[in-house]
Amino acid sequence: MKRIYLFFALIFVAQGILFAQELRCNISISAQKIQGANRTVFETMQSDLYEFMNNRKWTDQKFAMDERIECSFFINLDEQISSDEFKGTIQVQARRPVFNSSYETILLNVKDNDFDAKYIEYQTMEFNETSNKDNLTNILAYYAYIILGMDYDSFSPEGGTEFFQKAQTIVNNSQSAREKGWKAYESERNRYWLVENILNKSYSGFRSTTYQYHRQGLDIMYDKSPEGRAAIAESLKSIQKVFRSRPSLYILQVFFDAKSDELVNVFSKSFPDEKNRVSVILNECDPSNGSKYEKILKSESF
């Protein structure tokens, strides 16, 4: 009988090793600006947010342990409004492995200045896709779906649509929320506009770039560096078209916040004519990082 129990226990453990949740999410909370508070609350909050993000099943897909999406949430609490309400910012970053290498590319790097949430220590965190009852779990779930959408888009053309739609549903359900970040009129760079821009067919070049840049570009660079760079350079033309249609789009900032340093590294090893073509696009679409892109032209060419 003991052997039978041991057999089933081993099966259970093996299944746990083979299949896991979708996200491997690191949570970091800083509350240095809040004086006089019970510091253990922030430790408990960090632990609860970690459990919520990593133990919840976000899709109906099976993920192996090594397939989980690497992501990080950096929450900086600036103000305690009441005993259980806090305001601050949240920085969300997601990463993706590049085929045949140990390199991880940044898929998403967003700073959200409208983090306003209630947290009650030791109370179970719950998320309901059909309501806006809890702003904290709504924010976390929204970014979980944005991360999943970006990851899936990077492996297949518009493969993340269903997850972006789930994020948009959270936005729609939060239109009556008193907290900021969900409504169009509050800002041009918030949660409303991020998912609106992504799903807007007028700006589909952003999503086609996500696929071409990663799957047809970075993923083949181990074996075919010139071809991979060429694909990335070609993908930037789609970003350029989006920029020319509406230069102030939030997703353009999101793209370059994630990719500016990487683009310098990729094209610093390119050929002179390719460097020139790429530099023209980057300086047009992302002039704020012009000093970075100068390094592309100044680096030694092949």
Side-chain angles (χ1 to χ4, degrees):
M1 184 64 71
K2 287 183 179 180
R3 289 181 179 179
I4 294 175
Y5 286 141
L6 180 59
F7 174 75
F8 283 109
L10 289 172
I11 291 177
F12 180 79
V13 170
Q15 287 177 334
I17 293 173
L18 290 174
F19 300 111
Q21 312 309 110
E22 300 87 349
L23 304 179
R24 183 186 283 116
C25 186
N26 180 60
I27 303 286
S28 177
I29 295 178
S30 173
Q32 294 179 356
K33 293 183 180 180
I34 299 177
Q35 303 297 321
N38 179 3
R39 313 314 292 181
T40 60
V41 171
F42 305 121
E43 295 173 6
T44 309
M45 182 191 299
Q46 181 169 300
S47 176
D48 284 349
L49 269 57
Y50 178 90
E51 295 295 325
F52 178 81
M53 292 301 298
N54 288 287
N55 292 341
R56 182 180 176 86
K57 198 80 173 72
W58 297 102
T59 75
D60 59 1
Q61 306 295 314
K62 290 183 177 180
F63 277 61
M65 290 289 286
D66 60 356
E67 292 176 335
R68 289 185 297 172
I69 303 168
E70 297 280 352
C71 56
S72 302
F73 286 27
F74 303 96
I75 299 171
N76 190 21
L77 300 177
D78 298 322
E79 189 178 358
Q80 184 168 4
I81 307 301
S82 66
S83 61
D84 61 1
E85 184 176 0
F86 305 88
K87 281 188 176 183
T89 63
I90 179 170
Q91 181 106 18
V92 179
Q93 188 179 98
R95 298 170 296 282
R96 172 198 188 277
V98 172
F99 185 69
N100 257 347
S101 78
S102 59
Y103 177 68
E104 290 188 336
T105 180
I106 297 175
L107 273 176
L108 180 71
N109 187 21
V110 174
K111 185 179 180 183
D112 184 332
N113 294 319
D114 295 317
F115 185 83
D116 183 347
K118 288 188 174 182
Y119 170 77
I120 300 175
E121 196 172 13
Y122 306 120
Q123 180 172 297
T124 302
M125 295 180 63
E126 296 180 355
F127 168 64
N128 189 328
E129 291 189 8
T130 62
S131 76
N132 66 344
K133 183 179 179 181
D134 183 1
N135 201 54
L136 176 56
T137 55
N138 280 354
I139 292 173
L140 298 176
Y142 169 88
Y143 281 116
Y145 288 129
I146 292 291
I147 289 167
L148 284 161
M150 291 293 294
D151 188 77
Y152 273 68
D153 264 17
S154 77
F155 284 102
S156 64
E158 299 196 359
T161 298
E162 67 172 295
F163 305 114
F164 292 133
Q165 289 173 340
K166 284 179 178 290
Q168 192 167 59
T169 296
I170 296 172
V171 170
N172 293 338
N173 290 339
S174 300
Q175 289 306 292
S176 61
R178 65 175 181 80
E179 297 90 352
K180 292 177 63 178
W182 302 110
K183 304 174 188 68
Y185 64 83
E186 293 172 337
S187 169
E188 291 185 349
R189 284 166 164 72
N190 63 8
R191 294 185 288 274
Y192 176 94
W193 287 113
L194 176 57
V195 72
E196 191 280 339
N197 287 179
I198 291 172
L199 287 174
N200 193 320
K201 292 297 183 182
S202 298
Y203 316 130
S204 60
F206 171 81
R207 298 185 68 186
S208 63
T209 295
T210 300
Y211 172 72
Q212 189 175 9
Y213 185 110
H214 295 94
R215 195 72 188 97
Q216 299 178 326
L218 287 180
D219 278 349
I220 71 167
M221 286 192 69
Y222 180 84
D223 296 316
K224 303 175 181 179
S225 292
E227 291 88 342
R229 277 197 306 271
I232 293 172
E234 186 67 23
S235 77
L236 294 177
K237 293 179 181 179
S238 297
I239 287 292
Q240 187 180 42
K241 288 180 182 179
V242 174
F243 174 82
R244 289 177 175 178
S245 70
R246 192 174 172 188
S248 62
L249 274 181
Y250 185 25
I251 51 171
L252 291 171
Q253 177 189 327
V254 168
F255 176 81
F256 288 111
D257 282 350
K259 295 301 184 183
S260 59
D261 290 333
E262 184 172 80
L263 286 164
V264 171
N265 291 332
V266 168
F267 289 104
S268 290
K269 303 172 184 177
S270 185
F271 304 101
D273 60 333
E274 190 172 62
K275 285 184 177 186
N276 289 326
R277 286 186 283 108
V278 167
S279 294
V280 169
I281 295 174
L282 295 179
N283 282 293
E284 176 187 353
C285 300
D286 187 28
S288 64
N289 280 315
S291 59
K292 283 186 183 181
Y293 302 135
E294 288 180 5
K295 298 175 184 176
I296 294 175
L297 296 176
K298 291 179 178 178
S299 62
E300 186 176 349
S301 300
F302 289 106

